[in-house]
Amino acid sequence: MSADPAAYGDLQAFSDLDLDDIAAAAAALCRTPVALISILDGDQLWFPARVGTDQAQGPLAHSGCAVVIDRRAPVVIGDMTANPATQNSEFVRGETGIRFYAGYPLFTSENGVLGTLCVADMQVRPQGLSQQEHDGLAALSRQAMRLMELRRQTLAQARRLEAQQIRRERAARQAKQADAERRRAMEKYAVQQAAGAAGGVGIFEYNLSSGDVDVSPEICRIIGLPVAEILTAAEWCQRVHDADRHLIPALSELLDGSAPLKLEYRIIRADDHKERWVLRQGVLDRDDAGRPIRLIGTLQDITPERLATSRLTTLLAIGDVLRTATTRQEALVAACAMLGKRLDVQRVGFSAIAVRDQVFTVEQGWCADGVSPVSGAFSFQAFRRVADFLRSGAVLILNDLAAVEWLGEEQEGCRAIQVNAQIVVPKMEHGELTGCLFVHSATPRDWTLDETSFIRMAAERIFTALEEWDIEARQEIVNREILHRLKNTLSIVQSLAHQGFRNVNDQGPLITFTSRLVALGAAHDLLMRRNWQSTDLASLVSGVLTPLGIEGRVRISGPFLKLGPDTATSFSMLLHELATNAMKYGALSVPEGDVSVSWVIGNVDGEAVMSLSWRESGGPLVTPPSKTGFGVRLLRAGLGRYGKTELHYAPTGLCADLTAPALALATV
């Protein structure tokens, strides 16, 4: 086993005076001109210490050293030219001309062969070495190896020191780099903290094993706790609203990765006990095995956004309930309830105001549980200052009535109805105060700009709906008056007709004329109930047949079909003529007869067309009339230029078919 020569230094630049002395001592001991300390390096020999030659290296092959190294024992060769192992050596055949060789192996502490200590002579020595020379060379070889081992240890120590120095320098560089990175991270963290504080966003890091939560100052501000660097998971969860604690994932859910990483829930702040909405978002940090070890994320106060969304939803709901309510009172109560519950106040209501009479009339609104309602009439004297303020058209906003000196004696009246803070929105018409929407709080309250805007928008919707209800009520009164006068006019016409036909023996035309007036009045009555805008065909048919007492003998079927005012009048006359004709001459003139009235809406050349069929059956045999009277002319005229009427006098009963464009029927 050979040793590693690199452990003993650079063989090309090897220099050691002590080894030179050992080589000189060996040459003197053996009386040879040449002495070498050789070190094996692959297939080369290096001579770091030498006497009698300037050659620094030579080949291993066929050298005496090769024999020593191979045998791992001392070798003496009296005549190298006669020895097969060395006779072809460069040292023998070359200019050196070595003939005698004696060498001792240099053993390392690991029992490896590093090289040899050898002597050489240009003369043959058959006698070899004496015992004294043998012993001396052995001692010198051991001494040389001790020096070489010391050199190896010195070099190893130097290399260790150099490696330590390199490691120290590397560690110093890494520490410097880490310190720079730490400073950059701190600067970045400071920037993030500042940005988070500016945007209302806090940063946290939840250690899943310890339960500690590293938090930024903004986290503490959002939760309402004193600023701290670390919170426990229990302290965090303690701030969660009781109704939302089921939303917070358990530790086991975080560890198995099934927990939601984005949550919205409510908290109760520790300092002022106010309810706030927060958005928590995070990511799971995992170890090399993929197991979650930390939850890193942000916490943001989203109360304004949630309130804005909630208020918008409430405004839409108020609009819906105002639109779908069947009575004015139902609309007012429902809208006030939505407004009051959203604001978490004690009372919301509407008051009609008669400035000339100086009276507030409080209509029933909404009250929270345990709060007494307020209704009825109140004199301006009781709330003179409030009334004067509202007449300017400005919104009255009072955070704490006890702190408002200008209210004076009105404070006592407010406290009597449990009002300590309020907002009152005036309802103005043509510059005059006609009503107000009031919102009452039983405790002092700092009304926010968002709350004030929300109340004003809700009030505008409520005021608009109330105006529509009032307009409809006034229109209903006008319609009833118009209908009353129309009926009076028709009664006068009927009276004049009776007087004109009083001396006429045949009263048939008078009866027919009177029934047509009744049909015309029924059509007008139906339109009056619809504000003279429109009606539908099914309602019109029932309205015409019911006064005649034959609605039970007429089968009616067909889809909804809108009729305009003029069309409704024409239809009523046509249906009345058909019904009275059936009662006098057709199917309804006998007990077993009946009538079918049906209509459908089809498509003709891309246009919706109504087709109505009047079918009589079970009556007497029908024959075409011998002469054309007013009734027949009325039926054939039908719906005028917008439609067409066909009459068929079938033996089984009269058949009438009316067709007209559905759009024309609805708009005329």
Side-chain angles (χ1 to χ4, degrees):
M1 182 180 65
S2 61
D4 180 14
Y8 299 89
D10 185 359
L11 298 181
Q12 296 186 37
F14 199 102
S15 177
D16 193 317
L17 294 177
D18 291 335
L19 288 177
D20 289 342
D21 291 344
I22 289 176
L29 175 66
C30 298
R31 302 180 305 283
T32 59
V34 177
L36 301 169
I37 292 178
S38 65
I39 296 178
L40 177 63
D41 184 16
D43 58 356
Q44 291 287 319
L45 292 172
W46 291 91
F47 308 133
R50 53 194 180 271
V51 172
T53 180
D54 293 330
Q55 189 172 349
Q57 68 181 81
L60 175 65
H62 306 297
S63 67
C65 293
V67 179
V68 175
I69 293 171
D70 184 56
R71 294 181 181 180
R72 296 174 57 85
V75 172
V76 178
I77 304 173
D79 185 0
M80 296 183 71
T81 59
N83 190 315
T86 60
Q87 61 185 1
N88 294 323
S89 171
E90 178 183 307
F91 301 106
V92 175
R93 297 166 62 91
E95 293 181 0
T96 307
I98 295 176
R99 296 293 181 268
F100 172 74
Y101 173 89
Y104 269 72
L106 300 178
F107 288 105
T108 66
S109 59
E110 293 85 9
N111 201 29
V113 178
L114 178 64
T116 65
L117 170 62
C118 62
V119 295
D121 196 347
M122 287 66 180
Q123 302 296 324
V124 176
R125 287 191 181 187
Q127 73 279 11
L129 297 176
S130 66
Q131 186 61 43
Q132 185 180 6
E133 291 171 337
H134 268 292
D135 294 340
L137 280 178
L140 289 173
S141 67
R142 290 192 295 272
Q143 183 62 28
M145 197 62 233
R146 279 194 289 273
L147 290 173
M148 292 295 290
E149 286 296 326
L150 181 61
R151 180 181 180 84
R152 184 176 72 164
Q153 293 171 4
T154 301
L155 288 173
Q157 180 65 17
R159 288 170 179 168
R160 283 195 295 273
L161 291 175
E162 183 181 2
Q164 289 177 357
Q165 182 63 25
I166 292 173
R167 286 195 294 271
R168 282 195 296 270
E169 292 176 355
R170 183 186 297 115
R173 289 195 302 270
Q174 291 175 344
K176 186 176 180 180
Q177 182 179 359
D179 186 59
E181 291 178 353
R182 189 178 301 107
R183 286 197 301 272
R184 287 195 296 270
M186 292 298 293
E187 292 172 358
K188 183 178 180 181
Y189 182 72
V191 171
Q192 291 176 340
Q193 294 286 20
V201 180
I203 303 171
F204 70 88
E205 182 176 320
Y206 176 23
N207 189 312
L208 301 184
S209 59
S210 68
D212 292 336
V213 188
D214 295 338
V215 296
S216 67
E218 188 63 16
I219 292 281
C220 299
R221 189 199 66 78
I222 293 173
I223 297 178
L225 292 172
V227 174
E229 294 183 357
I230 297 178
L231 298 176
T232 64
E235 288 176 313
W236 184 303
C237 292
Q238 189 177 5
R239 303 269 51 88
V240 179
H241 195 290
D242 290 342
D244 291 347
R245 289 192 177 178
H246 68 282
L247 300 174
I248 307 302
L251 178 60
S252 59
E253 295 177 293
L254 290 169
L255 292 174
D256 64 22
S258 63
L261 299 180
K262 182 177 180 180
L263 294 174
E264 290 185 12
Y265 55 87
R266 289 167 293 174
I267 62 169
I268 302 298
R269 288 170 49 86
D271 50 3
D272 56 15
H273 304 290
K274 288 185 177 180
E275 178 182 299
R276 307 294 291 178
W277 276 96
V278 295
L279 168 64
R280 194 206 75 186
Q281 301 184 89
V283 293
L284 284 173
D285 184 25
R286 302 175 183 268
D287 59 16
D288 295 338
R291 293 184 295 266
I293 56 175
R294 283 185 298 272
L295 176 65
I296 304 171
T298 61
L299 188 75
Q300 182 179 4
D301 188 335
I302 59 169
T303 304
E305 292 82 355
R306 288 288 303 219
L307 290 178
T309 302
S310 177
R311 288 166 184 162
L312 178 59
T313 302
T314 302
L315 287 175
L316 294 174
I318 288 175
D320 291 340
V321 74
L322 291 173
R323 185 172 56 256
T324 58
T326 56
T327 65
R328 183 181 189 277
Q329 192 61 33
E330 177 188 343
L332 182 59
V333 171
C336 290
M338 291 181 180
L339 183 58
K341 291 176 182 178
R342 175 52 54 200
L343 291 169
D344 191 23
V345 294
Q346 281 65 54
R347 186 184 295 111
V348 179
F350 175 78
S351 175
I353 299 176
V355 175
R356 294 181 181 179
D357 298 333
Q358 295 192 344
V359 172
F360 288 91
T361 303
V362 181
E363 300 184 28
Q364 183 180 359
W366 171 86
C367 293
D369 294 339
V371 178
S372 57
V374 176
S375 61
F378 296 86
S379 170
F380 270 28
Q381 294 298 327
F383 300 99
R384 169 68 61 184
R385 295 184 180 273
V386 173
D388 291 341
F389 185 94
L390 294 177
R391 292 175 72 173
S392 67
V395 177
L396 178 64
I397 303 174
L398 299 175
N399 295 332
D400 186 356
L401 269 68
V404 183
E405 296 181 358
W406 61 268
L407 281 179
E409 65 277 4
E410 297 180 19
Q411 294 178 350
E412 190 63 32
C414 291
R415 282 193 290 269
I417 56 174
Q418 299 174 297
V419 179
N420 283 289
Q422 67 175 337
I423 289 182
V424 184
V425 183
K427 181 177 180 291
M428 308 295 292
E429 291 185 16
H430 308 295
E432 183 177 348
L433 179 66
T434 61
C436 66
L437 180 79
F438 56 84
V439 178
H440 290 168
S441 173
T443 58
R445 177 165 178 163
D446 292 330
W447 301 102
T448 66
L449 179 61
D450 290 339
E451 289 174 334
T452 304
S453 299
F454 172 58
I455 293 172
R456 294 188 66 169
M457 287 188 288
E460 289 175 1
R461 285 164 170 75
I462 293 174
F463 292 164
T464 300
L466 293 180
E467 287 176 2
E468 292 177 355
W469 280 103
D470 292 341
I471 290 172
E472 289 184 6
R474 289 193 293 269
Q475 185 63 47
E476 181 66 23
I477 294 173
V478 172
N479 286 346
R480 285 199 296 268
E481 181 63 24
I482 292 174
L483 183 59
H484 176 70
R485 297 193 179 192
L486 177 62
K487 288 183 176 180
N488 285 342
T489 300
L490 292 177
S491 297
I492 293 173
V493 172
Q494 185 177 5
S495 177
L496 291 174
H498 276 282
Q499 292 179 11
F501 284 89
R502 183 171 49 190
N503 298 322
V504 177
N505 294 329
D506 185 6
Q507 294 293 308
L510 176 61
I511 296 173
T512 301
F513 178 74
T514 301
S515 64
R516 288 170 181 164
L517 286 179
V518 172
L520 184 61
H524 284 192
D525 191 16
L526 189 60
L527 288 171
M528 282 291 184
R529 291 198 297 269
R530 305 290 178 91
N531 293 328
W532 201 257
Q533 293 180 355
S534 64
T535 185
D536 65 279
L537 182 55
S539 299
L540 184 65
V541 172
S542 298
V544 171
L545 300 181
T546 299
L548 299 177
I550 58 172
E551 67 276 10
R553 300 179 63 185
V554 180
R555 299 186 304 276
I556 303 173
S557 64
F560 176 84
L561 180 63
K562 182 180 178 181
L563 300 178
D566 291 347
T567 305
T569 303
S570 300
F571 245 124
S572 67
M573 299 300 293
L574 285 172
L575 291 171
H576 183 270
E577 193 64 34
L578 287 170
T580 54
N581 183 71
M583 293 173 65
K584 292 168 61 177
Y585 312 111
L588 300 182
S589 64
V590 296
E592 60 272 15
D594 59 17
V595 175
S596 170
V597 181
S598 62
W599 62 91
V600 296
I601 301 176
N603 188 298
V604 178
D605 297 330
E607 182 181 19
V609 175
M610 181 234 36
S611 298
L612 182 143
S613 298
W614 174 283
R615 296 289 185 270
E616 299 182 19
S617 60
L621 183 65
V622 175
T623 58
S626 58
K627 61 179 180 177
T628 302
F630 175 77
V632 174
R633 291 195 299 274
L634 177 63
L635 291 175
R636 288 178 176 172
L639 300 175
R641 61 190 179 91
Y642 297 106
K644 181 175 67 173
T645 303
E646 294 183 0
L647 299 177
H648 304 283
Y649 296 94
T652 56
L654 176 65
C655 299
D657 295 309
L658 286 77
T659 58
L663 180 61
L665 296 178
T667 56
V668 178

